[in-house]
Amino acid sequence: MSIKYICRHCHATIGEIEKPLISEEELGFHFLTPEERRDIISYNQDGGMTVKVVCDYCKEALDNYPELSLLVNPLQ
């Protein structure tokens, strides 16, 4: 299974895990609410998943300029 982590704002690839068998508990997904799961995790046609997180660059920009969070695609 392939798990790809991308930034939800700039869409940069942050990392990827290639492991045949990995549980959602190992990834920490069991702590997410159903709403958070729908927002953060998407499943690909090939059986992998994409996880949307925030990269360090975007986090720093949003911390320094909170008004950016009001924009639809603030850092693109």
Side-chain angles (χ1 to χ4, degrees), residues 46-63:
D46 65 0
M49 64 175 72
T50 301
V51 182
K52 292 182 271 181
V53 294
V54 179
C55 71
D56 291 339
Y57 171 80
C58 291
K59 181 182 178 336
E60 183 178 338
L62 290 165
D63 287 346

